[in-house]
Amino acid sequence: MSKKALLILDMQKGCREATSCKTTFTKVVKNINEISPTFRRLKLPVVVIQHIEVGAMKTEDFDNVDELLVSESDYRVEKNYYNSFWKTDLEDILKKEEVDTVIVSGFAAEFCVAATCNGALERGFNVYLLKDAVAGFTEEGVDLLQKW
């Protein structure tokens, strides 16, 4: 029996400001908010992942966008690299929870989402993108990732 986890990447204020696709970013938050309560209700792990540059200070840009629904039960992971598995405890969390399948959502398709999907595959996880729940710097970047 497969056990799934929802990964929510980089839905941060600074990321929303950095993208030219703000309308898509807003839709992605809405779509993540529609599915994440189901994961929580089913007692499936939700992991909220935030990117911070090495040596950077946590400013308001680091904070998740206010619209993103998070819960005290969610795992939190801070990362310094595109791949959410690299030098974090994400893999340990998923193994502890006996997860074999990750559902990936968030920002940015061209960088962190793609690298995290590859990192999950390299570690033997089944990987799926949450439909209409990935934003990017460009719509083309999102389209390319979804064809992958």
Side-chain angles (χ1 to χ4, degrees):
M1 185 81 168
S2 174
K3 184 172 181 185
K4 297 166 185 65
L6 176 64
L7 306 184
I8 303 172
L9 278 69
D10 304 343
M11 297 307 293
Q12 297 164 249
K13 293 177 180 178
C15 297
R16 179 172 49 198
E17 290 307 310
T19 183
S20 62
C21 304
K22 289 180 179 39
T23 301
T24 300
F25 193 99
T26 300
K27 288 178 186 174
V28 165
V29 173
K30 179 180 175 285
N31 292 337
I32 291 170
N33 285 345
E34 286 180 12
I35 193 69
S36 63
T38 301
F39 274 77
R40 294 179 188 107
R41 189 179 75 253
L42 295 173
K43 306 250 186 275
L44 296 172
V46 174
V47 185
V48 179
I49 301 165
Q50 293 171 277
H51 188 92
I52 187 164
E53 295 297 326
V54 176
M57 293 180 58
K58 291 180 187 174
T59 64
E60 187 175 305
D61 286 347
F62 175 78
D63 295 340
N64 290 313
V65 294
D66 294 333
E67 304 84 7
L68 184 68
L69 299 177
V70 294
S71 169
E72 290 296 318
S73 66
D74 295 346
Y75 287 98
R76 302 291 203 287
V77 172
E78 292 181 11
K79 65 181 179 65
N80 299 119
Y81 303 96
Y82 294 155
N83 179 352
S84 299
F85 288 91
W86 187 250
K87 297 186 180 183
T88 71
D89 59 352
L90 178 57
E91 185 174 11
D92 293 335
I93 290 168
L94 298 175
K95 285 183 176 179
K96 180 183 93 168
E97 290 286 343
E98 300 178 343
V99 167
D100 62 2
T101 302
V102 293
I103 312 299
V104 182
S105 64
F107 182 81
E110 308 90 332
F111 299 102
C112 298
V113 174
T116 297
C117 288
N118 284 329
L121 288 169
E122 290 170 349
R123 289 161 178 80
F125 293 96
N126 300 309
V127 180
Y128 297 93
L129 291 176
L130 184 58
K131 183 167 175 48
D132 299 324
V134 174
F137 285 102
T138 65
E139 298 299 337
E140 295 82 15
V142 174
D143 291 343
L144 281 173
L145 183 66
Q146 290 179 348
K147 291 177 183 173
W148 171 59

